[in-house]
Amino acid sequence: MRDPRHDILFEPIRIGPVTAKNRFFQVPHCNGMGHAMPLAHAAMREAKAEGGWAVVSTEECEIHHSSDLTPYVEARLWDDRDIPALALMCEKVHAHGALAAVELTHNGPAASNLFSREVLLAPSHQPTKYGYPQQARAMDKRDIREYRRWHREAAVRGMKAGMDIVYVYAAHDLSLAMHFLQRRRNQRTDEYGGSLENRVRLLRELIEDTKDAVGHRCGVALRFATEEMLGPDGVELAEARDIVAMLAELPDLWDVNVSAWYNDSLPSRFGGEAAQEPFVNFVKRATSKPVVGVGRFTSPDTMVSQIRRGVLDIIGAARPSIADPFLPRKIEEGRLDDIRECIGCNVCVSGDNTISPIRCTQNPSMGEEWRKGWHPERIAPARKPEKVLVVGGGPAGLEAARALGQRGFEVALAEGSKVLGGRVAREAKLPGLAEWGRVRDWRVGQINKLRNVSVYLDSRLSAQDVLDFGAAHVVVATGARWRRDGAGRTHGAGLAGLADAANVFTPDDLMDGPLPEGTVAVYDDDGGYHATVLAEALARAGRQVHFLTPEDVVAPWGQFTLEYRHVRKRLASLGVQARVSQVLRALDGHELVLEDAWSGQTQLLHVDALVSVTSRLPEDALYHALLAREADWADAGVSSVTRIGDAEAPGLIAHAVYAGHRYAQELGEAKVGEVPFKRHFHHAGE
């Protein structure tokens, strides 16, 4: 039964001519599928609607071919031929009683036009935002009239597709509507530039045009960024207050956030739940229209607090709806312990930035709803509920044991240490990563509810132990350890003497024991998050830290997860000296020999200790020992031995969780074909 404290979350709310059945709103978010994979996109959005979200939105939807976002794959409404793809999404969303919303945008100088080859448009002459070697031209009055026409016609197409809410988009520094607001992008001297009233003029016209075109049937929402964190160069909170006052009653819904995307989808390392409240809490006081906002909300009590204190009317979410598409239904049914809480790692964001289908660390079904037929809550029962032994209680082993148990297999999970979680348990103790422990906590909580899953701690197993156990299937999920010899992308064979040096440490050493003393160099040839988090831990402990990398940027993976800028600021604030394009050539006692990656010049750096973050080796000795005794499997009743996760190939926690889930989904099932997932195929035609 639902806790009465949460009843307010399930009140219907009016948005112009339409009514949302509750206060849960999946705000627009990118997904890497968009117009190129409409079946996969529709199935992903359908899961949200089935899970109880009252409104389910698209991502950015390009309104015209002069706003081509290639290579990024977003939604499109360039002309009527794009309607069917979004109509499919609307059909799937409506089937579960939810409203569908489309976020219309023309990205102006933030587009690429790499596919369309059209000239980019902007309020004033300026370079493109993303570094392409071309400029956008200043729009004249005819261009502005055409832009308004494109937006109006796209709104009508959205309505024809079945959309219930149509967005005017002025956020994330990604749309012309916002670019006209910005002093740094708008240097016009006509009625669309100069004063704030003039810079707001186009946004006002777009809202009025949209309401005139579709307002009789669709709610018209305004997505607006109230702060860019850029000082006078950007939209500031004080100016945003004036903008909201000017437009207060014009849209049917205010969707408010901060800009740019790296501030809006703030990684959990740099901000917690409800972090945007100070930047949006004024909007509701300025308008009678409903207000939706985001804050990586996962706690229903926090959601209720936002509403009761007059911060928001509607709880918006992107990442929490990805981690758990059924979050609203679980709150409604009083199953709070079953909520799969977002950890704020931004692996979901990396899908859009790597131009690939969306993924989630917590929810391995995300992006696989159509491709593999995976559902976030349901899984096919075992055809033959045999006994399975899972060796290793890290993210891969925990997910395998949980999902196998859900299918009805008899599962034994053996963990060699005294705690579950593997790498997650250790990494969650590092600065800013505490919420990542949710990967372990949710799975342990679910396993504890399954009577057919037994857990054995402090149980290191030999090959003979495994054979004696009598399981039909054995899953080896024993993880990996960081290399000490410096082997990685730059030095495939490692560096002589590193492995035996007493002052060389690995990430495992720092997570398992005391930190090294004195001046410490962190050498990052991995490019992920580990090295920067460890550098932060060392700096916070009072060590003088040098961050060294052969890459041209610090922790390049962070560019895909929106961490990069925050990492650089954090390291700088802690006094960590970051040096890029530096190749480690040798360690001579306490002298590092560094070589500039481009000039070839070498220099020495005196340190007390070196933390080598290069690559990992699977802990797969048990797996190979079992393979060596394959002749004994039949007598022991063993049908299969499989390694998964880091024990097979070290990667992100998301990779490990996916590997565990995939194993559980496929065990005992017939092979579906050489390619184990569906693909979109395009046939001849216009």
Side-chain angles (χ1 to χ4, degrees), residues 463-464 466-472 626 629-641:
Q464 187 61 52
V466 171
L467 294 173
D468 290 342
F469 192 81
L626 288 167
R629 297 190 59 181
E630 188 170 1
D632 299 326
W633 290 6
D635 289 341
V638 174
S639 300
S640 70
V641 175

Side-chain angles (χ1 to χ4, degrees), residues 365-504:
S365 70
M366 178 52 53
E368 302 293 350
E369 298 88 353
W370 177 79
R371 290 193 349 148
K372 290 192 172 183
W374 291 0
H375 189 276
E377 297 298 309
R378 298 188 296 270
I379 188 169
R383 298 178 186 274
K384 184 180 179 183
E386 298 174 292
K387 188 174 183 178
V388 183
L389 172 63
V390 179
V391 185
L398 285 172
E399 176 62 17
R402 184 207 65 79
L404 288 166
Q406 186 182 1
R407 291 193 64 194
F409 286 97
E410 181 185 349
V411 183
L413 173 61
E415 164 58 37
S417 72
K418 292 179 174 17
V419 296
L420 292 171
R423 62 179 286 190
V424 171
R426 299 158 72 234
E427 291 182 19
K429 297 177 181 178
L430 295 172
L433 301 189
E435 290 188 49
W436 292 27
R438 293 172 172 179
V439 173
R440 168 203 59 210
D441 297 342
W442 182 78
R443 285 162 179 81
V444 171
Q446 297 299 303
I447 286 171
N448 288 341
K449 297 179 181 182
L450 296 169
R451 294 183 178 182
N452 55 323
V453 180
S454 302
V455 177
Y456 303 92
L457 298 176
D458 202 14
S459 299
R460 291 193 174 275
L461 304 183
S462 66
Q464 187 61 52
D465 294 330
V466 171
L467 294 173
D468 290 342
F469 192 81
H473 304 282
V474 179
V475 188
V476 179
T478 44
R481 299 289 288 181
W482 286 92
R483 298 184 68 143
R484 192 178 301 276
D485 59 4
R489 290 187 177 89
T490 303
H491 301 295
L495 286 169
L498 231 61
D500 299 323
N503 60 339
V504 173

Side-chain angles (χ1 to χ4, degrees), residues 83 89 188 269 390 422 461 472 583:
I83 292 175
M89 172 196 147
R188 302 176 70 94
R269 286 176 65 181
V390 179
L461 304 183
V583 178

Side-chain angles (χ1 to χ4, degrees), residues 50-88:
E50 184 185 354
W53 297 88
V55 182
V56 178
S57 308
T58 67
E59 63 276 45
E60 287 183 281
C61 183
E62 305 165 5
I63 66 170
H64 192 260
H65 59 276
S66 63
S67 179
D68 162 32
L69 297 177
T70 302
Y72 302 102
V73 182
E74 314 296 346
R76 277 182 181 166
L77 279 173
W78 289 2
D79 61 27
D80 287 355
R81 290 169 294 183
D82 291 312
I83 292 175
L86 290 179
L88 177 62

Side-chain angles (χ1 to χ4, degrees), residues 298 300 324 327 330-331 335-341 442:
T298 60
D324 198 335
L327 186 151
K330 290 174 182 177
I331 297 173
R335 299 189 292 119
L336 305 187
D337 291 344
D338 291 336
I339 295 173
R340 196 166 40 230
E341 294 184 288
W442 182 78

Side-chain angles (χ1 to χ4, degrees), residues 36-37 39 370-371 674-682:
M37 306 177 196
L39 294 169
W370 177 79
R371 290 193 349 148
E674 192 64 31
V675 178
F677 50 83
K678 292 186 286 186
R679 293 178 287 163
H680 290 76
F681 288 96
H682 303 281

